[in-house]
Each structure stands twice: as structure tokens, then as C-alpha cells.
Amino acid sequence: SNSRAYSLVDSSQVSTFLISILLIVYGSFRSLNMDFENQDKEKDNSSAAGSFNGNSTNNSIQTIDSTQALFLPIGASVSLLVMFFFFDSVQVVFTICTAVLATIAFAFLLLPMCQYLTRPCSPQNKISFGCCGRFTAAELLSFSLSVMLVLIWVLTGHWLLMDALAMGLCVAMIAFVRLPSLKVSCLLLSGLLIYDVFWVFFSAYIFNSNVMVKVATQPADNPLDVLSRKLHLGPNVGRDVPRLSLPGKLVFPSSTGSHFSMLGIGDIVMPGLLLCFVLRYDNYKKQANSDSCGAPGPGNISGRMQKVSYFHCTLIGYFVGLLTATVASRIHRAAQPALLYLVPFTLLPLLTMAYLKGDLRRMWSEPFHSKSSSSRFLEV
């Protein structure tokens, strides 16, 4: 049943908490390191020292503006309805697109490990592949491992491989998508909260079915099975491959193995974007304070509170919100919109602390501007 699929108990509850928090922390620090890399590249490419803008990164990074934040829940709703009404028609295309994106995202997740492994035995020179581009040995190794994992997932459909691909998608989205200000963060998360609550609690009154739960739990036909039927390869070719549960969620079995817990990657990525924003702001503020010789904060704020970072405050709020969603799921024995609990427990403490520290106006609308200074790469 859907309620059993969403219940979080025993080891699955602990696994969900730990994995989601680790993904957010890892994705946020990867994003910050990408800022450092872009800053160093700008130093190398320009002889004149310029100011560092946290939003001016390379073309692969997407910054969400206010208009996109307002329309993203609407676009997500349209996509959800398309999957609800026309899933049988688009499931193969959707599965292939998801597999391609998961391959690239998991390669990005494995890249630091591959760089560490290949550093002693090979130079970091890039190998040319013609029109495909130039790649290092570490990039080729991470991509090869990612392709291998996706192929094994297609053949077996194992939940652990699906979780690995979902983890790659989470880290890549947190690292490559940016929220430029607290205003955009509030618009995006508030809109997604309404979106999540409506499709979980009220969609059944209109469509006679819980749209969110049905789309999230509906397996898709295996592309190998579809290909064998189209090509008439025989009754035994491709028929033993399982249907695929797409990597749009994390699933963990309970200790008894009787049911799975489930957490959508949107419940990790969207709060993760907020944590990525506050981590970048903490770094910006630290650089600004060092440039101004450690100027103290407002006089009515204790020194202990000044030492508490926005990132730690928001991360604790995320954990408490996820714990509250778990308790609500067990009490009501039904699917719960996790953002209903995650958004207030992350945004409200952040807004309160920003107001008390006197940073609310700056975080609300001012972009990041920090003087060029020597940067250190963070060990993730």
C-alpha cells in the first residue's frame, strides 16, 4: 500500500536521515569548490584583480531568478499531470532520458574519487576525442564506471543501484543550480510547499487518486523488454528483465524487509539549494570580515550567536523537519508532503537568525561581492 511505502521505520529511517544530510552537505561543498575553481580561473585569465561575484560562474551553472522560482511549481505540476495521464505512452522515453541524466550525474559524483585514484599514475593532461571534446583520465574513468552502473541497473532493477543514481542526481542538481538571494529562496520554497501539499493532500478529490503517490511509485517498462518486442527477437530475449522504478527517489528497506521507506529527491534538492546558498553566504561573510579586520556584529547580539553559522542552523532545521515529517507519517499512516515540514523548519530559523545578526536585508536582495583573495579548496 502507499502508506506502507512511505512509512519510515527501523533502519530505513536512520538511512534516510543520514543519506539525505550527507548528500546536501556534499553537494553544497562541491558547489562552493566550483566557485573557488571559477575564481582561480578568472585570476589566471585576467591580469587585473577584479571583484569576485558568486553568481558569475561558467555556463554550466544555472542561477534561478524570481520569475523561474514562481513558475517552477507550475511547470512541475504540468509534468506531474503528463506523467499521471500519459505514463504508458511516455514511459520509455522518460526512462531513457532519466538514465542518460543519471549517468552524467553519477559520473560527476564519482569524479573526485577518480581524480584521487588516477593522480599518482597519470598526468592530468586532457585526451582529445575530436568533436566530443577533451577529457582527463579521471573523467573518462568516472564516466565509464557510471555507464557500467546504469547498465547493471537496467538489467537488474535493484533498489540499491537506483539509490546510487538518485544520489548522483541530488549532488549534481545542488552543485549546478544556484539560488542568488534569500528572496528567490523564499519564493521557490513557498511555491513548492504549496505544490507538494496540493498534490499529496487534495489531488485525490479532483482526480480520484493521489497523483503524487501514483506517479512516484509506478514502475516503468524496461527499455530492453520494449526493444525486444519491437524487433521481434523472440519470447525469451529481454523478457526476464524487471520493470524499473525510476531514480526520482531514495528507497530503503526496513529491517524486516516487509516494506520500503521513500523520500523524493525534490525533498533533498530543494532544501539543499537553500543550504548551498547559506554556505556560500557564510564563506562570503567570512571573507568580508577578514578584509575588514574582523569587524564585530551588532551590539545586541552575543558573541556565541555570532559564531553560529547560517549553514549549521539551517542544516539542524532540515534534520528536525525531516524528523517531524517522519513522526507525522507514522501517526497518520499515510503519505506526507515532506516540504510541509522541511520548508518552515529551514526558512524560519534562517530568517530569524539573519534578522538578529543584521544580515537580513543584505541576504534578501544583494548579490555576492567579495574582494579577490587567496582561496583554499575545501576537502569534501
Side-chain angles (χ1 to χ4, degrees), residues 180-195:
S181 65
L182 192 55
K183 178 180 71 174
V184 176
S185 303
C186 290
L187 288 175
L188 178 64
L189 291 177
S190 299
L192 290 173
L193 185 152
I194 298 173
Y195 156 85

Side-chain angles (χ1 to χ4, degrees), residues 195-214:
Y195 156 85
D196 208 14
V197 169
F198 173 79
W199 290 111
V200 173
F201 284 154
F202 301 104
S203 60
Y205 297 104
I206 302 175
F207 302 98
N208 296 321
S209 177
N210 192 318
V211 176
M212 181 75 77
V213 173
K214 184 176 180 180

